[in-house]
Amino acid sequence: MISISMLKAIVKDYTASPHLSRVPEPQLIIDEAENVEAFDAACTGNGPITPIYLFVTSHVAQVISGCEKVLDLGCGSGRLLTQHALANPRISFTAIDLSTEMLGRADEHLRENHIQNVDLRVQDMTNLKDFANQTFDAVISSLALHHLPDERSLEACFKEIRRVLKPNGRIFLYDYCLPKIPGTIDYLLSRTSSDQPKVLNEDALNSMKAAFPYAYFKQLIRENFPDNIETYTTALCSFMTILKSPSRKLSRDHEKHFHSIYQSLNAKNRQIYQDVAQLFKFNGLKSLIK
Ligand SMILES: C[S@@+](CC[C@H](N)C(=O)[O-])C[C@H]1O[C@@H](n2cnc3c(N)ncnc32)[C@H](O)[C@@H]1O
C-alpha cells in the first residue's frame, strides 16, 4: 500500500500550477571525496537508495535478459552495477563515468565481490567515442542523465545511445524528472534526510532540481527510438521516469533472487519500495515484487 504522506504530496503536486524550472547541477560530475563517500554509503545496507536499486535491478534484469553486451552510462561508485553483474553473470557489462574518483570506488566494489564480467571506462555519455556503431545489445542508466548540463547534451546522449546500440537493441533509462512544485522535492527529501549526512541531502536536492521534465524525455524517445519503447512516470506527479524496452520473463530462480533482497530490507525501505512501485504501477508498470 502507498503511504498517506506520499499520497498527500502527489495530490498537492497534481493540483498545483507548474512553477519549477530546471537548475543544472552545480557540479556536473561527482568527484569530491566527501560526495563520493556519502553517495556510496547511501547505496548499501539499508541506506535510502537501496530500495530504489532493488526496483531498478529487477526491471533491468527483465529488459537485458538474453543480451550479451550491455553498456551502463554514469555507473558512479558501482554499487548498482555490482548488483546488475551479480544478478546477470552471463552478461558482459561495460560501465562508464567521467569521475575517476567514482570509478575507483566501482573498481573496489567489483574486486570485493570477485566480479569478472565488468569493464570500467572513463567516458562521456554524450560522446561514446570508444565504441563503434552497433556494439551493444542494451544500454542502461540510473540516476545519471540529470547530471547533463542542458537539453542539447541530453539529446546528444540519446543519439549516442542509438548509435552504439545494435539493431533492435534494448534500453532501460531511469532518472528523476522535474515535479511541478518545490514542496514535492521537500517532501521526497524529508523521507530520508534526517538520518543522512548534510552533503548527501544537498546532492539529492541539487539532483532533483536538475531533473529534466518528463515531457522532454518522451519527446527524445519519440525522435530517437522505435515505437516499442515504453515510457513511464510516477502517477499524478512526475518525479521519476523509466524509459524501457519491453520486459522478458525471468527464470524462477532469478525472480527468487530479487524477492530475497526485498526480504532483507528494513520496514522503512520496504515502504519506500512499495511507494515507488505503486506509483509506477498506477501508470501501467508492474513490479516483480508484489
Ligand atoms: C548519481 S550518480 C549515479 C550512479 C549510479 N548509476 C547509480 O544509480 O547509483 C551519477 C553519475 O553520473 C556521472 N556523470 C555525470 N556526467 C557524466 C557524463 N557526461 N558522462 C558520464 N558520467 C557522467 C557522475 O560522475 C556520477 O558518478
PDB file of all heavy atoms in Angstrom, residues 28-31 39 43 49 53 72-78 80 96-99 102 123-126 141-144 146-148 207, ligand 1:
ATOM      1  N   LEU A  28      28.903  19.030 -12.246  1.00  0.00           N
ATOM      2  CA  LEU A  28      28.299  18.118 -13.229  1.00  0.00           C
ATOM      3  C   LEU A  28      28.695  16.671 -12.988  1.00  0.00           C
ATOM      4  O   LEU A  28      27.912  15.756 -13.228  1.00  0.00           O
ATOM      5  CB  LEU A  28      28.662  18.564 -14.650  1.00  0.00           C
ATOM      6  CG  LEU A  28      28.037  19.906 -15.048  1.00  0.00           C
ATOM      7  CD1 LEU A  28      28.484  20.302 -16.442  1.00  0.00           C
ATOM      8  CD2 LEU A  28      26.516  19.870 -14.981  1.00  0.00           C
ATOM      9  N   ILE A  29      29.926  16.452 -12.519  1.00  0.00           N
ATOM     10  CA  ILE A  29      30.272  15.070 -12.168  1.00  0.00           C
ATOM     11  C   ILE A  29      30.527  15.003 -10.663  1.00  0.00           C
ATOM     12  O   ILE A  29      30.795  16.027 -10.034  1.00  0.00           O
ATOM     13  CB  ILE A  29      31.489  14.530 -12.961  1.00  0.00           C
ATOM     14  CG1 ILE A  29      32.754  15.322 -12.636  1.00  0.00           C
ATOM     15  CG2 ILE A  29      31.224  14.548 -14.455  1.00  0.00           C
ATOM     16  CD1 ILE A  29      34.008  14.646 -13.129  1.00  0.00           C
ATOM     17  N   ILE A  30      30.434  13.796 -10.100  1.00  0.00           N
ATOM     18  CA  ILE A  30      30.633  13.649  -8.649  1.00  0.00           C
ATOM     19  C   ILE A  30      32.077  13.206  -8.433  1.00  0.00           C
ATOM     20  O   ILE A  30      32.401  12.043  -8.621  1.00  0.00           O
ATOM     21  CB  ILE A  30      29.627  12.640  -8.056  1.00  0.00           C
ATOM     22  CG1 ILE A  30      28.192  13.046  -8.418  1.00  0.00           C
ATOM     23  CG2 ILE A  30      29.804  12.537  -6.551  1.00  0.00           C
ATOM     24  CD1 ILE A  30      27.129  12.104  -7.872  1.00  0.00           C
ATOM     25  N   ASP A  31      32.938  14.151  -8.062  1.00  0.00           N
ATOM     26  CA  ASP A  31      34.359  13.839  -7.978  1.00  0.00           C
ATOM     27  C   ASP A  31      34.974  14.160  -6.615  1.00  0.00           C
ATOM     28  O   ASP A  31      36.078  13.732  -6.316  1.00  0.00           O
ATOM     29  CB  ASP A  31      35.107  14.624  -9.067  1.00  0.00           C
ATOM     30  CG  ASP A  31      36.084  13.732  -9.811  1.00  0.00           C
ATOM     31  OD1 ASP A  31      36.157  12.538  -9.480  1.00  0.00           O
ATOM     32  OD2 ASP A  31      36.777  14.235 -10.710  1.00  0.00           O
ATOM     33  N   PHE A  39      27.523   9.326  -1.159  1.00  0.00           N
ATOM     34  CA  PHE A  39      26.661   8.629  -2.119  1.00  0.00           C
ATOM     35  C   PHE A  39      26.847   7.120  -1.991  1.00  0.00           C
ATOM     36  O   PHE A  39      25.874   6.361  -1.918  1.00  0.00           O
ATOM     37  CB  PHE A  39      26.979   9.098  -3.553  1.00  0.00           C
ATOM     38  CG  PHE A  39      26.102   8.435  -4.572  1.00  0.00           C
ATOM     39  CD1 PHE A  39      24.801   8.868  -4.762  1.00  0.00           C
ATOM     40  CD2 PHE A  39      26.553   7.360  -5.319  1.00  0.00           C
ATOM     41  CE1 PHE A  39      23.959   8.240  -5.681  1.00  0.00           C
ATOM     42  CE2 PHE A  39      25.731   6.733  -6.233  1.00  0.00           C
ATOM     43  CZ  PHE A  39      24.428   7.177  -6.425  1.00  0.00           C
ATOM     44  N   CYS A  43      24.028   3.859  -0.718  1.00  0.00           N
ATOM     45  CA  CYS A  43      23.608   2.817  -1.661  1.00  0.00           C
ATOM     46  C   CYS A  43      23.794   1.419  -1.102  1.00  0.00           C
ATOM     47  O   CYS A  43      23.656   0.439  -1.839  1.00  0.00           O
ATOM     48  CB  CYS A  43      24.435   2.884  -2.930  1.00  0.00           C
ATOM     49  SG  CYS A  43      24.418   4.441  -3.744  1.00  0.00           S
ATOM     50  N   ILE A  49      18.999   4.595  -0.730  1.00  0.00           N
ATOM     51  CA  ILE A  49      18.926   4.294  -2.173  1.00  0.00           C
ATOM     52  C   ILE A  49      18.713   2.790  -2.413  1.00  0.00           C
ATOM     53  O   ILE A  49      18.345   2.362  -3.507  1.00  0.00           O
ATOM     54  CB  ILE A  49      20.185   4.839  -2.900  1.00  0.00           C
ATOM     55  CG1 ILE A  49      20.314   6.351  -2.621  1.00  0.00           C
ATOM     56  CG2 ILE A  49      20.114   4.623  -4.403  1.00  0.00           C
ATOM     57  CD1 ILE A  49      21.492   7.044  -3.257  1.00  0.00           C
ATOM     58  N   TYR A  53      17.387   0.736  -5.768  1.00  0.00           N
ATOM     59  CA  TYR A  53      18.236  -0.198  -6.521  1.00  0.00           C
ATOM     60  C   TYR A  53      17.520  -1.516  -6.783  1.00  0.00           C
ATOM     61  O   TYR A  53      17.653  -2.096  -7.857  1.00  0.00           O
ATOM     62  CB  TYR A  53      19.527  -0.477  -5.744  1.00  0.00           C
ATOM     63  CG  TYR A  53      20.607   0.547  -5.952  1.00  0.00           C
ATOM     64  CD1 TYR A  53      20.375   1.721  -6.671  1.00  0.00           C
ATOM     65  CD2 TYR A  53      21.875   0.346  -5.445  1.00  0.00           C
ATOM     66  CE1 TYR A  53      21.372   2.657  -6.858  1.00  0.00           C
ATOM     67  CE2 TYR A  53      22.885   1.276  -5.635  1.00  0.00           C
ATOM     68  CZ  TYR A  53      22.624   2.426  -6.334  1.00  0.00           C
ATOM     69  OH  TYR A  53      23.626   3.346  -6.526  1.00  0.00           O
ATOM     70  N   ASP A  72      26.499   0.541 -19.355  1.00  0.00           N
ATOM     71  CA  ASP A  72      25.882   1.313 -18.267  1.00  0.00           C
ATOM     72  C   ASP A  72      26.454   2.728 -18.280  1.00  0.00           C
ATOM     73  O   ASP A  72      27.669   2.916 -18.136  1.00  0.00           O
ATOM     74  CB  ASP A  72      26.191   0.610 -16.923  1.00  0.00           C
ATOM     75  CG  ASP A  72      25.545   1.312 -15.735  1.00  0.00           C
ATOM     76  OD1 ASP A  72      24.695   2.200 -15.938  1.00  0.00           O
ATOM     77  OD2 ASP A  72      25.900   0.971 -14.589  1.00  0.00           O
ATOM     78  N   LEU A  73      25.583   3.728 -18.418  1.00  0.00           N
ATOM     79  CA  LEU A  73      26.026   5.131 -18.505  1.00  0.00           C
ATOM     80  C   LEU A  73      25.994   5.788 -17.124  1.00  0.00           C
ATOM     81  O   LEU A  73      24.946   5.796 -16.469  1.00  0.00           O
ATOM     82  CB  LEU A  73      25.085   5.923 -19.424  1.00  0.00           C
ATOM     83  CG  LEU A  73      24.866   5.378 -20.833  1.00  0.00           C
ATOM     84  CD1 LEU A  73      23.861   6.266 -21.581  1.00  0.00           C
ATOM     85  CD2 LEU A  73      26.176   5.307 -21.591  1.00  0.00           C
ATOM     86  N   GLY A  74      27.121   6.355 -16.680  1.00  0.00           N
ATOM     87  CA  GLY A  74      27.174   7.042 -15.384  1.00  0.00           C
ATOM     88  C   GLY A  74      27.039   6.050 -14.242  1.00  0.00           C
ATOM     89  O   GLY A  74      26.144   6.162 -13.415  1.00  0.00           O
ATOM     90  N   CYS A  75      27.981   5.101 -14.176  1.00  0.00           N
ATOM     91  CA  CYS A  75      27.851   3.980 -13.210  1.00  0.00           C
ATOM     92  C   CYS A  75      28.160   4.407 -11.784  1.00  0.00           C
ATOM     93  O   CYS A  75      27.890   3.659 -10.842  1.00  0.00           O
ATOM     94  CB  CYS A  75      28.751   2.834 -13.618  1.00  0.00           C
ATOM     95  SG  CYS A  75      30.508   3.276 -13.547  1.00  0.00           S
ATOM     96  N   GLY A  76      28.760   5.599 -11.600  1.00  0.00           N
ATOM     97  CA  GLY A  76      29.044   6.078 -10.248  1.00  0.00           C
ATOM     98  C   GLY A  76      29.954   5.129  -9.493  1.00  0.00           C
ATOM     99  O   GLY A  76      30.883   4.536 -10.055  1.00  0.00           O
ATOM    100  N   SER A  77      29.677   4.931  -8.204  1.00  0.00           N
ATOM    101  CA  SER A  77      30.568   4.129  -7.364  1.00  0.00           C
ATOM    102  C   SER A  77      30.343   2.631  -7.544  1.00  0.00           C
ATOM    103  O   SER A  77      30.946   1.826  -6.832  1.00  0.00           O
ATOM    104  CB  SER A  77      30.385   4.511  -5.895  1.00  0.00           C
ATOM    105  OG  SER A  77      29.112   4.113  -5.461  1.00  0.00           O
ATOM    106  N   GLY A  78      29.495   2.264  -8.470  1.00  0.00           N
ATOM    107  CA  GLY A  78      29.413   0.867  -8.895  1.00  0.00           C
ATOM    108  C   GLY A  78      28.586  -0.054  -8.014  1.00  0.00           C
ATOM    109  O   GLY A  78      28.572  -1.261  -8.231  1.00  0.00           O
ATOM    110  N   LEU A  80      25.285  -0.213  -7.774  1.00  0.00           N
ATOM    111  CA  LEU A  80      24.183  -0.745  -8.581  1.00  0.00           C
ATOM    112  C   LEU A  80      24.729  -1.671  -9.662  1.00  0.00           C
ATOM    113  O   LEU A  80      24.190  -2.762  -9.907  1.00  0.00           O
ATOM    114  CB  LEU A  80      23.410   0.421  -9.209  1.00  0.00           C
ATOM    115  CG  LEU A  80      22.223   0.061 -10.081  1.00  0.00           C
ATOM    116  CD1 LEU A  80      21.133  -0.633  -9.284  1.00  0.00           C
ATOM    117  CD2 LEU A  80      21.636   1.308 -10.742  1.00  0.00           C
ATOM    118  N   ILE A  96      30.600   3.198 -17.803  1.00  0.00           N
ATOM    119  CA  ILE A  96      31.383   4.428 -17.965  1.00  0.00           C
ATOM    120  C   ILE A  96      30.971   5.484 -16.939  1.00  0.00           C
ATOM    121  O   ILE A  96      29.834   5.504 -16.450  1.00  0.00           O
ATOM    122  CB  ILE A  96      31.226   5.019 -19.389  1.00  0.00           C
ATOM    123  CG1 ILE A  96      29.765   5.477 -19.634  1.00  0.00           C
ATOM    124  CG2 ILE A  96      31.665   4.041 -20.452  1.00  0.00           C
ATOM    125  CD1 ILE A  96      29.642   6.532 -20.705  1.00  0.00           C
ATOM    126  N   ASP A  97      31.928   6.363 -16.654  1.00  0.00           N
ATOM    127  CA  ASP A  97      31.660   7.534 -15.821  1.00  0.00           C
ATOM    128  C   ASP A  97      32.766   8.544 -16.148  1.00  0.00           C
ATOM    129  O   ASP A  97      33.829   8.154 -16.645  1.00  0.00           O
ATOM    130  CB  ASP A  97      31.693   7.170 -14.331  1.00  0.00           C
ATOM    131  CG  ASP A  97      30.877   8.137 -13.479  1.00  0.00           C
ATOM    132  OD1 ASP A  97      31.336   9.301 -13.286  1.00  0.00           O
ATOM    133  OD2 ASP A  97      29.795   7.763 -13.009  1.00  0.00           O
ATOM    134  N   LEU A  98      32.516   9.820 -15.867  1.00  0.00           N
ATOM    135  CA  LEU A  98      33.571  10.823 -16.096  1.00  0.00           C
ATOM    136  C   LEU A  98      34.364  11.076 -14.827  1.00  0.00           C
ATOM    137  O   LEU A  98      35.366  11.782 -14.864  1.00  0.00           O
ATOM    138  CB  LEU A  98      32.950  12.133 -16.592  1.00  0.00           C
ATOM    139  CG  LEU A  98      32.828  12.302 -18.098  1.00  0.00           C
ATOM    140  CD1 LEU A  98      32.230  13.663 -18.442  1.00  0.00           C
ATOM    141  CD2 LEU A  98      34.180  12.138 -18.777  1.00  0.00           C
ATOM    142  N   SER A  99      33.920  10.533 -13.705  1.00  0.00           N
ATOM    143  CA  SER A  99      34.596  10.769 -12.432  1.00  0.00           C
ATOM    144  C   SER A  99      35.553   9.617 -12.131  1.00  0.00           C
ATOM    145  O   SER A  99      35.116   8.478 -11.923  1.00  0.00           O
ATOM    146  CB  SER A  99      33.554  10.907 -11.317  1.00  0.00           C
ATOM    147  OG  SER A  99      34.145  10.688 -10.062  1.00  0.00           O
ATOM    148  N   MET A 102      34.834   8.185  -8.664  1.00  0.00           N
ATOM    149  CA  MET A 102      33.728   7.222  -8.653  1.00  0.00           C
ATOM    150  C   MET A 102      34.177   5.879  -9.248  1.00  0.00           C
ATOM    151  O   MET A 102      33.874   4.813  -8.703  1.00  0.00           O
ATOM    152  CB  MET A 102      32.532   7.746  -9.468  1.00  0.00           C
ATOM    153  CG  MET A 102      31.662   8.737  -8.721  1.00  0.00           C
ATOM    154  SD  MET A 102      30.755   7.947  -7.372  1.00  0.00           S
ATOM    155  CE  MET A 102      29.424   9.119  -7.135  1.00  0.00           C
ATOM    156  N   GLN A 123      34.621   7.847 -19.636  1.00  0.00           N
ATOM    157  CA  GLN A 123      33.997   8.209 -20.920  1.00  0.00           C
ATOM    158  C   GLN A 123      32.817   9.140 -20.650  1.00  0.00           C
ATOM    159  O   GLN A 123      32.173   9.043 -19.613  1.00  0.00           O
ATOM    160  CB  GLN A 123      33.506   6.937 -21.627  1.00  0.00           C
ATOM    161  CG  GLN A 123      33.050   7.151 -23.038  1.00  0.00           C
ATOM    162  CD  GLN A 123      34.135   6.854 -24.078  1.00  0.00           C
ATOM    163  OE1 GLN A 123      33.857   6.776 -25.244  1.00  0.00           O
ATOM    164  NE2 GLN A 123      35.372   6.699 -23.652  1.00  0.00           N
ATOM    165  N   ASP A 124      32.555   9.997 -21.629  1.00  0.00           N
ATOM    166  CA  ASP A 124      31.447  10.953 -21.513  1.00  0.00           C
ATOM    167  C   ASP A 124      30.214  10.355 -22.181  1.00  0.00           C
ATOM    168  O   ASP A 124      30.291   9.934 -23.337  1.00  0.00           O
ATOM    169  CB  ASP A 124      31.875  12.252 -22.217  1.00  0.00           C
ATOM    170  CG  ASP A 124      30.863  13.365 -22.059  1.00  0.00           C
ATOM    171  OD1 ASP A 124      29.686  13.085 -21.772  1.00  0.00           O
ATOM    172  OD2 ASP A 124      31.266  14.533 -22.244  1.00  0.00           O
ATOM    173  N   MET A 125      29.099  10.360 -21.473  1.00  0.00           N
ATOM    174  CA  MET A 125      27.916   9.714 -22.067  1.00  0.00           C
ATOM    175  C   MET A 125      27.336  10.490 -23.247  1.00  0.00           C
ATOM    176  O   MET A 125      26.481   9.988 -23.962  1.00  0.00           O
ATOM    177  CB  MET A 125      26.854   9.427 -21.006  1.00  0.00           C
ATOM    178  CG  MET A 125      26.297  10.618 -20.294  1.00  0.00           C
ATOM    179  SD  MET A 125      25.007  10.072 -19.161  1.00  0.00           S
ATOM    180  CE  MET A 125      25.399  10.993 -17.709  1.00  0.00           C
ATOM    181  N   THR A 126      27.837  11.708 -23.464  1.00  0.00           N
ATOM    182  CA  THR A 126      27.372  12.444 -24.648  1.00  0.00           C
ATOM    183  C   THR A 126      28.310  12.225 -25.838  1.00  0.00           C
ATOM    184  O   THR A 126      28.065  12.743 -26.923  1.00  0.00           O
ATOM    185  CB  THR A 126      27.270  13.968 -24.370  1.00  0.00           C
ATOM    186  OG1 THR A 126      28.585  14.477 -24.112  1.00  0.00           O
ATOM    187  CG2 THR A 126      26.371  14.257 -23.201  1.00  0.00           C
ATOM    188  N   SER A 141      20.913   2.963 -17.745  1.00  0.00           N
ATOM    189  CA  SER A 141      21.436   4.079 -16.956  1.00  0.00           C
ATOM    190  C   SER A 141      20.501   4.333 -15.779  1.00  0.00           C
ATOM    191  O   SER A 141      19.290   4.160 -15.895  1.00  0.00           O
ATOM    192  CB  SER A 141      21.533   5.339 -17.823  1.00  0.00           C
ATOM    193  OG  SER A 141      22.125   6.389 -17.083  1.00  0.00           O
ATOM    194  N   SER A 142      21.093   4.741 -14.673  1.00  0.00           N
ATOM    195  CA  SER A 142      20.286   5.051 -13.486  1.00  0.00           C
ATOM    196  C   SER A 142      20.804   6.336 -12.841  1.00  0.00           C
ATOM    197  O   SER A 142      22.019   6.462 -12.587  1.00  0.00           O
ATOM    198  CB  SER A 142      20.380   3.889 -12.486  1.00  0.00           C
ATOM    199  OG  SER A 142      20.106   4.325 -11.178  1.00  0.00           O
ATOM    200  N   LEU A 143      19.908   7.248 -12.595  1.00  0.00           N
ATOM    201  CA  LEU A 143      20.180   8.471 -11.833  1.00  0.00           C
ATOM    202  C   LEU A 143      21.392   9.243 -12.345  1.00  0.00           C
ATOM    203  O   LEU A 143      22.129   9.843 -11.559  1.00  0.00           O
ATOM    204  CB  LEU A 143      20.369   8.134 -10.340  1.00  0.00           C
ATOM    205  CG  LEU A 143      19.144   7.555  -9.633  1.00  0.00           C
ATOM    206  CD1 LEU A 143      19.475   7.216  -8.187  1.00  0.00           C
ATOM    207  CD2 LEU A 143      17.958   8.509  -9.686  1.00  0.00           C
ATOM    208  N   ALA A 144      21.616   9.227 -13.645  1.00  0.00           N
ATOM    209  CA  ALA A 144      22.790   9.909 -14.205  1.00  0.00           C
ATOM    210  C   ALA A 144      22.428  10.994 -15.211  1.00  0.00           C
ATOM    211  O   ALA A 144      23.147  11.989 -15.330  1.00  0.00           O
ATOM    212  CB  ALA A 144      23.719   8.882 -14.850  1.00  0.00           C
ATOM    213  N   HIS A 146      20.325  13.359 -15.324  1.00  0.00           N
ATOM    214  CA  HIS A 146      20.080  14.720 -14.819  1.00  0.00           C
ATOM    215  C   HIS A 146      21.388  15.474 -14.576  1.00  0.00           C
ATOM    216  O   HIS A 146      21.365  16.674 -14.333  1.00  0.00           O
ATOM    217  CB  HIS A 146      19.229  14.685 -13.534  1.00  0.00           C
ATOM    218  CG  HIS A 146      19.935  14.042 -12.383  1.00  0.00           C
ATOM    219  ND1 HIS A 146      19.832  12.701 -12.099  1.00  0.00           N
ATOM    220  CD2 HIS A 146      20.782  14.553 -11.458  1.00  0.00           C
ATOM    221  CE1 HIS A 146      20.588  12.420 -11.053  1.00  0.00           C
ATOM    222  NE2 HIS A 146      21.165  13.523 -10.632  1.00  0.00           N
ATOM    223  N   HIS A 147      22.530  14.768 -14.610  1.00  0.00           N
ATOM    224  CA  HIS A 147      23.827  15.450 -14.465  1.00  0.00           C
ATOM    225  C   HIS A 147      24.228  16.216 -15.712  1.00  0.00           C
ATOM    226  O   HIS A 147      25.161  17.017 -15.658  1.00  0.00           O
ATOM    227  CB  HIS A 147      24.926  14.438 -14.123  1.00  0.00           C
ATOM    228  CG  HIS A 147      24.921  14.053 -12.678  1.00  0.00           C
ATOM    229  ND1 HIS A 147      25.606  14.752 -11.722  1.00  0.00           N
ATOM    230  CD2 HIS A 147      24.272  13.075 -12.033  1.00  0.00           C
ATOM    231  CE1 HIS A 147      25.397  14.210 -10.542  1.00  0.00           C
ATOM    232  NE2 HIS A 147      24.594  13.181 -10.698  1.00  0.00           N
ATOM    233  N   LEU A 148      23.560  15.961 -16.817  1.00  0.00           N
ATOM    234  CA  LEU A 148      23.935  16.656 -18.054  1.00  0.00           C
ATOM    235  C   LEU A 148      23.521  18.121 -17.955  1.00  0.00           C
ATOM    236  O   LEU A 148      22.485  18.445 -17.361  1.00  0.00           O
ATOM    237  CB  LEU A 148      23.288  15.969 -19.254  1.00  0.00           C
ATOM    238  CG  LEU A 148      23.816  14.544 -19.479  1.00  0.00           C
ATOM    239  CD1 LEU A 148      23.028  13.834 -20.567  1.00  0.00           C
ATOM    240  CD2 LEU A 148      25.302  14.567 -19.820  1.00  0.00           C
ATOM    241  N   SER A 207      20.170  17.323  -7.319  1.00  0.00           N
ATOM    242  CA  SER A 207      19.791  16.356  -8.365  1.00  0.00           C
ATOM    243  C   SER A 207      18.334  16.528  -8.765  1.00  0.00           C
ATOM    244  O   SER A 207      18.002  16.526  -9.949  1.00  0.00           O
ATOM    245  CB  SER A 207      19.994  14.925  -7.869  1.00  0.00           C
ATOM    246  OG  SER A 207      21.349  14.672  -7.706  1.00  0.00           O
TER     247      SER A 207
HETATM  248  C1  LIG B   1      24.180   9.936  -9.032  1.00  0.00           C
HETATM  249  S1  LIG B   1      25.434   9.034  -9.834  1.00  0.00           S
HETATM  250  C2  LIG B   1      24.554   7.564 -10.267  1.00  0.00           C
HETATM  251  C3  LIG B   1      25.406   6.342 -10.180  1.00  0.00           C
HETATM  252  C4  LIG B   1      24.721   5.012 -10.480  1.00  0.00           C
HETATM  253  N1  LIG B   1      24.268   4.913 -11.834  1.00  0.00           N
HETATM  254  C5  LIG B   1      23.579   4.767  -9.530  1.00  0.00           C
HETATM  255  O1  LIG B   1      22.420   4.707  -9.945  1.00  0.00           O
HETATM  256  O2  LIG B   1      23.869   4.624  -8.340  1.00  0.00           O
HETATM  257  C6  LIG B   1      25.608   9.832 -11.407  1.00  0.00           C
HETATM  258  C7  LIG B   1      26.972   9.617 -12.048  1.00  0.00           C
HETATM  259  O3  LIG B   1      26.976  10.176 -13.367  1.00  0.00           O
HETATM  260  C8  LIG B   1      28.293  10.649 -13.612  1.00  0.00           C
HETATM  261  N2  LIG B   1      28.280  11.578 -14.761  1.00  0.00           N
HETATM  262  C9  LIG B   1      27.877  12.859 -14.786  1.00  0.00           C
HETATM  263  N3  LIG B   1      28.001  13.360 -16.029  1.00  0.00           N
HETATM  264  C10 LIG B   1      28.509  12.369 -16.804  1.00  0.00           C
HETATM  265  C11 LIG B   1      28.845  12.278 -18.189  1.00  0.00           C
HETATM  266  N4  LIG B   1      28.675  13.308 -19.015  1.00  0.00           N
HETATM  267  N5  LIG B   1      29.311  11.104 -18.652  1.00  0.00           N
HETATM  268  C12 LIG B   1      29.483  10.039 -17.819  1.00  0.00           C
HETATM  269  N6  LIG B   1      29.177  10.078 -16.496  1.00  0.00           N
HETATM  270  C13 LIG B   1      28.693  11.226 -16.003  1.00  0.00           C
HETATM  271  C14 LIG B   1      28.698  11.286 -12.290  1.00  0.00           C
HETATM  272  O4  LIG B   1      30.095  11.441 -12.161  1.00  0.00           O
HETATM  273  C15 LIG B   1      28.113  10.285 -11.291  1.00  0.00           C
HETATM  274  O5  LIG B   1      29.053   9.332 -10.918  1.00  0.00           O
END
